[in-house]
Amino acid sequence: MINPFDDVYFMKRALQEAQMAFDKNEVPVGAVVVMNNQIIARAHNLTETLNDVTAHAEMQAFTAAADFLGGKYLKECTLYVTLEPCQMCAGASYWTQIGKIVYGASEEKRGFRNLNTTLHPKTKVVSGVLENECGDLLKRFFIEKRNLN
Amino acid sequence: MINPFDDVYFMKRALQEAQMAFDKNEVPVGAVVVMNNQIIARAHNLTETLNDVTAHAEMQAFTAAADFLGGKYLKECTLYVTLEPCQMCAGASYWTQIGKIVYGASEEKRGFRNLNTTLHPKTKVVSGVLENECGDLLKRFFIEKRNLN
């Protein structure tokens, strides 16, 4: 039997969130938190809207997921995020003890991998899911920004 | 002329915040953000109260300071925090471009220094201000916790 709830399915939901960020003139990064094939939190980058550099999609998604569950830890959850998390978000994921992180596009400069941020030992990582779609949205955003300035 | 607004003065204010956390049965870490010798944000750890691992004192202080200033960046500001920031908070400080971080007690295991979190190149760091007072409050908290369990 085909399972429709695979990594691509949930990354598409994260991409919808990224598109919402795009439409608000925010750097288009989106995230969902999934537990037992159910989305329990959705968020997109709101750093400009909230005037707050901590308002990355992942941070809001962690807060919303914990609120939904009524517990601080996300051990049974997976974070889907369109861009590789930064040090702050990867550092937050350590505290959540999240089970899995799936990300789309890589972020060579500010991503947690090249900066060697320590994840929780129980957190698994999958990268490159819908990498091109996730990356293209970001590229399109920055090209449009450049053309407007 | 003696300047009463030195690092010890502001760390004492951060310690007052840490004491408030202690009184709420929260891990006692406190922070203030200072600009031109004026405290523009105060916060203490609220991870239990808010059921949110991202509610570290520093994260809330950054958000509050940016809100006060009406701008995302804290280039002219100093963060005083009673405990060495973790990866998440140090990662957040990168995005704020904060001018200076002053902390009290060191955190060998989860602190940003041993975990090699990258700070913003313009962020200066001072450590060990009221180190014993800051550390003692934490020790007292964990001893009381242990005795209650």
Side-chain angles (χ1 to χ4, degrees), chain A residues 47-48 51-54 56 59 62-63 66-67 70-73 86-88 91-92 94-96 110 115-118, chain B residues 47-48 51-54 56 59 62-63 66-67 70-73 86-88 91-92 94-96 110 115-118:
Chain A
T47 48
E48 295 300 324
N51 186 36
D52 184 352
V53 294
T54 74
H56 283 192
M59 301 299 284
F62 292 149
T63 299
D67 191 47
K72 280 188 302 176
Y73 303 115
C86 72
Q87 300 181 115
M88 171 180 71
Y94 178 95
W95 296 118
T96 67
R110 303 298 323 149
L115 292 172
N116 295 315
T117 310
T118 304
Chain B
T47 49
E48 295 300 323
N51 185 38
D52 184 351
V53 294
T54 74
H56 283 193
M59 300 300 284
F62 291 148
T63 299
D67 191 47
K72 283 189 300 178
Y73 303 115
C86 72
Q87 300 181 116
M88 170 179 72
Y94 178 94
W95 296 117
T96 67
R110 303 297 325 149
L115 292 172
N116 295 315
T117 310
T118 305

Side-chain angles (χ1 to χ4, degrees), chain B residues 51-115:
Chain B
N51 185 38
D52 184 351
V53 294
T54 74
H56 283 193
E58 301 95 311
M59 300 300 284
Q60 298 175 71
F62 291 148
T63 299
D67 191 47
F68 176 83
L69 292 176
K72 283 189 300 178
Y73 303 115
L74 308 176
K75 296 180 194 191
E76 309 299 323
C77 299
T78 299
L79 169 76
Y80 291 86
V81 57
T82 58
L83 182 65
E84 181 183 342
C86 72
Q87 300 181 116
M88 170 179 72
C89 296
S93 83
Y94 178 94
W95 296 117
T96 67
Q97 303 184 22
I98 199 156
K100 197 167 147 189
I101 295 174
V102 181
Y103 66 85
S106 293
E107 164 53 288
E108 302 297 324
K109 227 172 134 185
R110 303 297 325 149
F112 77 95
R113 284 207 142 154
N114 283 348
L115 292 172

Side-chain angles (χ1 to χ4, degrees), chain A residues 17-27 44-46 48-49 141:
Chain A
E17 287 292 322
Q19 182 64 49
M20 286 186 214
F22 187 101
D23 295 343
K24 290 176 183 167
N25 212 19
E26 296 274 2
V27 175
H44 51 268
N45 178 39
L46 284 174
E48 295 300 324
T49 307
F141 177 80

